[in-house]
Amino acid sequence: MTKKNLGTLCVQAGYEPKNGEPRVLPIIQSTTFKYDSSEQMGNLFDLKESGYFYTRLSNPTNDAVANKIVALEGGVAGILTSSGQAANFYALLNILKAGDHVISSSAIYGGTYNLIAHTMKDLGIESTFVDPAISLEDLNKEFKKNTKVVFGETLSNPSLKVLDIETFAKAAHDHGVPLIVDNTFPTPIFLRPIEWGADIVTHSTTKYMNGFANSVGGAVIDSGNFDWSKHKDKFPGLTEPDETYHGVVYTESFGKGAYITKMTTTLMRDLGSIPSPQNSFYLGLGLETLHLRMPRHYENALAVAKFLENNDKISWVSFSALEKDSQHKLAQKYLPDGSCGVISFGVNGGRDAATKFMDSLKLAAVVTHVADSRTCVLHPASTTHRQMNEEELRQAGISSDLIRMSVGIEDAQDIIEDIKGALEAI
């Protein structure tokens, strides 16, 4: 296929039916696949042949949707997971082991922070968290001999800090390690991190990619650009024989597909976390309108942000498209066409006023979710990030009065009228 624009890829990529096959991607709701000989089945297990034999490792529906996201991000290979959390965990664990070290931006989703700071610590993996605005000079000082990866969110949830991808990528590459970024909020419609130097991209596809809050999922996309063999001493899982697969060396046998192949054949084999084909089908449908929905989310959010910026009951507003916003300059570089539909702001009166405001909304719902077609709000400090202490919240850019509003694709004026009414109730 010749190079296509993002809108066409949203609709067409990933699945190309042959003559007489279903035009719409089928849901292959089968756990297993039949073969005529034991020898061929054995070859599949030995990675000597490609094919499907058990959905925990791969499934045609899942692969077609993953390939669509690969095309959108400009990668070479990808895999779907059962959640965004699983995507980030697998992306890291695929190249980490006990005794290794991770450098991560501190401005990330609370669940991901807890995963890296605590759960992975229990697995023997160290971590250092840095301000996303850190200078290259200071970032270089954080590397250790056992540092194996750098991680960040392109647009953080919920503090909306823009990651300087080029700075983080340069530091990572100068130290012979990859940069992994979570691109959930901008999606490839507004930002393609691989073009700025990121090596691996993750997503919570539950959010904008699905768009309708009907299926949980995640994705890991490999750019194919990081040379694992050049730094083989750091990544033995990819560059040395895997005795669980008769000594296969992933980089030698699978080239640019090594990272995703290893994830499929080891982590998915041993830990699971594959999505159901039904959920992948819903994700595929959502992706077909991603290029239409993202601009509407952004336009609505900008209208709401401008309204909030000029309301005397609002103490502060964070949205990178606003000229006074601290992230505006970086956003002009990385997100010139838009960011997402998520806004963070504070209401005068602190936590109590924030709670009363949210409880007074009629159109916008208070839900543990973000980034779908319907407008919703949440108080992160007491919900999604409540496992963090005050210092961790401060480092993540989350104040006790922060309200996260995910602006949907309803009529912008109706959203603003709902906010007006809730503010009047404070």
Side-chain angles (χ1 to χ4, degrees):
M1 179 184 288
T2 57
K3 187 175 180 179
K4 298 292 192 297
N5 293 316
L6 288 176
T8 301
L9 293 175
C10 283
V11 178
Q12 296 276 1
Y15 173 64
E16 296 182 33
K18 298 180 178 65
N19 187 49
E21 291 184 341
R23 183 63 191 91
V24 175
L25 174 67
I27 304 171
I28 309 299
Q29 193 66 38
S30 179
T31 63
T32 191
F33 301 82
K34 176 186 177 295
Y35 289 90
D36 293 333
S37 73
S38 298
E39 180 183 6
Q40 188 174 11
M41 183 67 79
N43 286 338
L44 292 169
F45 273 92
D46 286 346
L47 307 181
K48 294 177 180 177
E49 294 183 28
S50 61
Y52 299 99
F53 53 92
Y54 196 59
T55 286
R56 188 176 83 241
L57 277 79
S58 58
N59 173 283
T61 305
N62 293 352
D63 283 357
V65 178
N67 289 338
K68 186 188 289 283
I69 300 174
V70 169
L72 289 169
E73 285 288 10
V76 298
I79 191 170
L80 299 186
T81 61
S82 58
S83 68
Q85 275 294 93
N88 282 331
F89 182 45
Y90 280 23
L92 292 165
L93 194 63
N94 203 38
I95 51 175
L96 293 172
K97 63 182 186 301
D100 288 342
H101 175 248
V102 181
I103 295 175
S104 173
S105 166
S106 61
I108 55 177
Y109 168 60
T112 309
Y113 180 94
N114 198 68
L115 167 68
I116 296 171
H118 302 292
T119 301
M120 296 186 78
K121 181 180 180 182
D122 291 341
L123 299 178
I125 299 168
E126 300 178 74
S127 57
T128 299
F129 291 88
V130 299
D131 191 301
I134 192 171
S135 68
L136 178 61
E137 180 182 4
D138 287 339
L139 180 56
N140 281 324
K141 295 175 183 177
E142 301 296 339
F143 283 81
K144 304 178 180 181
K145 289 184 178 180
N146 60 338
T147 302
K148 298 295 176 65
V149 67
V150 179
F151 179 84
E153 291 180 4
T154 56
L155 186 60
S156 63
N157 175 15
S159 58
L160 302 179
K161 301 294 185 183
V162 179
L163 187 75
D164 191 342
I165 302 171
E166 284 190 321
T167 294
F168 276 70
K170 178 169 175 48
H173 297 159
D174 284 349
H175 290 85
V177 302
L179 171 63
I180 300 176
V181 295
D182 184 326
N183 195 35
T184 295
F185 271 7
T187 80
I189 300 303
F190 286 142
L191 176 59
R192 285 158 57 97
I194 291 171
E195 295 176 354
W196 295 97
D199 300 291
I200 296 152
V201 179
T202 65
H203 285 274
S204 171
T205 61
T206 316
K207 310 305 190 297
Y208 286 120
M209 282 190 163
N210 167 261
F212 302 101
N214 59 29
S215 63
V216 176
V220 183
I221 309 301
D222 183 15
S223 69
N225 293 333
F226 190 82
D227 189 346
W228 306 103
S229 297
K230 184 179 179 181
H231 309 283
K232 60 183 305 180
D233 58 317
K234 293 179 183 287
F235 307 104
L238 287 163
T239 62
E240 294 182 5
D242 182 352
E243 297 307 324
T244 69
Y245 275 106
H246 308 290
V248 66
V249 177
Y250 293 101
T251 50
E252 292 178 2
S253 297
F254 301 101
K256 289 183 178 293
Y259 175 85
I260 294 297
T261 301
K262 178 183 180 295
M263 187 178 294
T264 302
T265 56
T266 60
L267 297 185
M268 282 301 178
R269 176 195 63 189
D270 297 342
L271 301 177
S273 296
I274 204 74
S276 73
Q278 183 85 39
N279 275 355
S280 297
F281 177 79
Y282 291 141
L283 169 58
L285 289 180
L287 286 166
E288 290 187 10
T289 60
L290 184 65
H291 62 300
L292 302 176
R293 291 183 285 106
M294 289 305 292
R296 178 61 177 259
H297 279 291
Y298 172 71
E299 291 162 8
N300 280 0
L302 181 56
V304 170
K306 288 180 176 179
F307 165 77
L308 293 171
E309 188 179 35
N310 295 308
N311 190 289
D312 58 11
K313 291 190 175 182
I314 300 299
S315 53
W316 58 272
V317 183
S318 176
F319 190 63
S320 62
L322 298 175
E323 290 185 7
K324 296 178 182 178
D325 192 86
S326 64
Q327 304 301 297
H328 185 67
K329 184 176 180 179
L330 270 178
Q332 286 182 307
K333 175 179 179 179
Y334 291 109
L335 301 160
D337 299 321
S339 53
C340 66
V342 181
I343 299 172
S344 293
F345 61 94
V347 177
N348 288 327
R351 184 175 295 206
D352 291 341
T355 300
K356 189 170 184 180
F357 165 78
M358 291 191 296
D359 290 348
S360 300
L361 292 164
K362 305 298 182 185
L363 184 150
V366 180
V367 298
T368 308
H369 192 49
V370 66
D372 73 43
S373 59
R374 293 160 286 265
T375 298
C376 57
V377 293
L378 196 69
H379 184 251
S382 60
T383 54
T384 56
H385 291 66
R386 71 179 300 130
Q387 71 271 24
M388 289 182 168
N389 59 40
E390 289 300 319
E391 175 60 20
E392 289 171 339
L393 286 170
R394 185 191 66 76
Q395 290 180 2
I398 300 167
S399 57
S400 61
D401 66 340
L402 185 152
I403 294 172
R404 182 187 71 186
M405 174 169 277
S406 177
V407 181
I409 57 175
E410 306 96 342
D411 187 278
Q413 192 55 45
D414 289 334
I415 300 170
I416 291 171
E417 289 299 321
D418 188 42
I419 295 170
K420 277 183 183 178
L423 289 173
E424 290 170 2
I426 298 175

